[in-house]
Amino acid sequence: MSDDGTPYGERLWVEQAADWVAARVGPALPAPDASTSVVGRLRSVPRPYLLVGAIVFFDIFVLHSVQQVTVGRNTVLDNPSWLALPATVLLAVFTNRYARDRYAKACREIRIDSRIDDGTTAFRRLVPVRPKRLLFAVAVVGYYGYLLATGRIPTIVEYEGFAGLFGWLVVIPFVYAPILLETAAIYASLHVSLPRRFDREDVTFYYFDPHNLGGLRPIGELLKHSFYLFVAAVVLLTVLLYAPFVFPEYLYTPYQAPERVVAALLTGVWAVGVFSIAFSLLTLHRYMRKRRRKKLKSLEQRFYDAVGDPSDVQNALADADDLERFERERHRIGQVRDTKEFPASTAMWLQIVIGGVVPLLIQWGASWLVRVV
């Protein structure tokens, strides 16, 4: 909530699911002893982490134990890199909550409601509801289509049994996927939709900003940090896909190395991330440049009015009042001129470039090792 009671962002799918489970399962459970340190610590953990943690525990220890008993194999023991999947999901839960809360904080810090027209609700929600639902439906259909097209289901049943099949057909598409897809939707909204809202809603530009960033420094930081989390997720995904084939003597999987299509999709994900951070910062740059140059142009006329004849240096500003007015106008122009046209510093650009290159180098290195091992 903002200081004036205005909410920014929205409740996440995982938060809604956690509250739904707590409302229906909680009353049926025996009341825990709140005096114990373990229960006290668990109560301090947000519900989304408890829910996802419980499902990950069920997946790792229950489903894979059943798999061990029924088919004599355990994916986690044979291929520990599989743990990158639940790790990525837990990172996604953190990322979603962090991005939503950081967005709300940024909106409060830049005082967005005082910089837009009354009644405008463009900044209230981070991600519209319908696009998220459509993304989920398309992803689930595409996921099942991929399993059928590649003939993976018989291999899953043979190697992982019906416990593994349950994980592939239920846990991944209906537990892990919604969290990861909401992460994708939030990221897309931050880097595509949000920057465009500033120009579309004609957000007021601040020229008296201690950072000389037009009052948009929190937005630039939000974009940067979300990109770093995106890079971490791509690295984990690369580890999940390539680790068993880079270290075959330590990790085992019955599946083939990532096909060219999968490798191309992973490269595409990386390219989307790099394009998105560049697009978001350049979109904000166009907005900042447009406002800054428009203001300079309006101040330029006032400056010439104060000077009179700009070419008459010897006789201009002979009157004390004219000189005082000239100094005021020159100070205003200087304040606008010192305002930057990018919501990012040089160091921030360097960090973004390094962060963008790392996942691609890791993927290229892993692909090369798979071919030579």
Side-chain angles (χ1 to χ4, degrees), residues 306 317 319-330:
L317 306 175
D319 185 77
D321 291 339
D322 290 340
L323 180 60
E324 181 180 355
R325 181 186 175 192
F326 168 79
E327 292 296 339
R328 284 199 307 267
E329 296 302 330
R330 185 166 68 173

Side-chain angles (χ1 to χ4, degrees), residues 37 94 96 112 178 198 204 222 253 267 277 296 299 304 370-371:
S37 59
F94 168 80
N96 295 349
I112 189 65
F198 280 87
T204 304
L222 171 63
T253 177
T267 304
I277 186 67
L296 278 175
L299 290 176
Y304 287 141
V370 168
R371 290 194 298 269

Side-chain angles (χ1 to χ4, degrees), residues 65-211:
S65 295
V66 173
Q67 177 188 342
Q68 179 74 44
V69 171
T70 55
V71 297
R73 292 183 180 275
N74 189 310
T75 303
V76 176
L77 298 179
D78 292 344
N79 179 21
S81 66
W82 177 89
L83 294 173
L85 175 58
T88 302
V89 173
L90 289 171
L91 174 64
V93 175
F94 168 80
T95 299
N96 295 349
R97 289 170 55 84
Y98 173 84
R100 189 269 315 276
D101 295 343
R102 188 71 183 249
Y103 170 76
K105 181 181 179 182
C107 286
R108 292 194 297 268
E109 288 181 351
I110 69 174
R111 295 181 287 180
I112 189 65
D113 273 1
S114 66
R115 302 170 67 171
I116 56 179
D117 294 336
D118 293 338
T120 300
T121 59
F123 292 89
R124 299 291 173 83
R125 289 191 64 89
L126 182 55
V127 184
V129 176
R130 288 184 179 179
K132 279 199 302 185
R133 293 176 178 172
L134 179 61
L135 177 64
F136 173 70
V138 170
V140 169
V141 171
Y143 173 76
Y144 283 133
Y146 170 77
L147 292 180
L148 294 172
T150 57
R152 285 211 167 193
I153 292 181
T155 305
I156 294 171
V157 174
E158 178 184 356
Y159 174 71
E160 301 182 30
F162 288 100
L165 187 64
F166 179 82
W168 281 87
L169 298 184
V170 178
V171 176
I172 290 178
F174 295 105
V175 178
Y176 295 162
I179 297 172
L180 296 173
L181 290 172
E182 189 161 40
T183 304
I186 290 174
Y187 186 85
S189 181
L190 285 175
H191 289 268
V192 178
S193 175
L194 177 61
R196 297 171 63 189
R197 293 179 208 171
F198 280 87
D199 193 27
R200 186 176 68 244
E201 301 299 329
D202 197 21
V203 176
T204 304
F205 199 60
Y206 283 177
Y207 298 101
F208 287 92
D209 173 27
H211 304 283

Side-chain angles (χ1 to χ4, degrees), residues 1-12:
M1 300 288 288
S2 66
D3 296 336
D4 61 356
T6 303
Y8 300 107
E10 60 270 351
R11 294 179 70 239
L12 305 171

